[in-house]
Amino acid sequence: MLKNLIIVAVGGGVGSALRYLVQETLHKQIDNFEPYGTFVVNVLGCLLLGLLAGFVEQEKLVNPSLNLLLISGFCGGFTTFSTFAYQGHSLFQSDKPLQAVLYIGVSVIIGLLAAYFGYRITRS
């Protein structure tokens, strides 16, 4: 159990650090990109999770420790539902209801599609 916790923690730490790097890079490159950095990492995370799930199902990724590292750890640390929820709420609080609804709706739809396409890619 302790070994698994350490594996998830390492993956989560790397995922969180990469998320921070991607978000900060986008925020510096594009003005007013605040909630969309989260959008980008969440969509990329959904795509990666779909790919990994497909590999696991096809038994191309069979190492349980690697599964924990990449799926629970890295993808769990890289993506961020709490930040997504907070930023959606902040858009509503900033009297930007249309932008909030679009951000939330598009994030969910594109995230689901990314996970689906990631999974389908492994099935080809």
Side-chain angles (χ1 to χ4, degrees):
M1 179 65 137
L2 181 59
K3 175 187 166 194
N4 289 348
L5 287 174
I6 292 169
I7 289 169
V8 171
V10 168
V14 171
S16 294
L18 185 59
R19 176 184 71 230
Y20 175 78
L21 181 65
V22 169
Q23 288 177 317
E24 288 302 305
T25 300
L26 289 172
H27 294 166
K28 289 178 182 174
Q29 299 297 320
I30 305 169
D31 289 336
N32 299 319
F33 206 75
E34 183 68 31
Y36 307 110
T38 303
F39 172 78
V40 169
V41 298
N42 283 341
V43 170
L44 289 174
C46 288
L47 177 64
L48 179 60
L49 189 58
L51 288 167
L52 293 171
F55 288 140
V56 167
E57 187 173 291
Q58 289 187 345
E59 298 181 5
K60 293 180 181 176
L61 187 62
V62 295
N63 183 321
S65 294
L66 189 57
N67 293 350
L68 284 173
L69 179 76
L70 295 175
I71 295 172
S72 296
F74 181 82
C75 288
F78 185 65
T79 59
T80 174
F81 186 77
S82 58
T83 302
F84 159 73
Y86 177 75
Q87 289 172 337
H89 170 74
S90 292
L91 288 169
F92 278 116
Q93 292 296 107
S94 300
D95 292 327
K96 298 177 182 175
L98 179 60
Q99 189 176 357
V101 169
L102 287 173
Y103 172 62
I104 293 166
V106 169
S107 292
V108 170
I109 291 167
I110 298 297
L112 289 170
L113 287 172
Y116 171 77
F117 285 121
Y119 178 80
R120 294 299 298 166
I121 287 169
T122 64
R123 309 293 288 168
S124 302

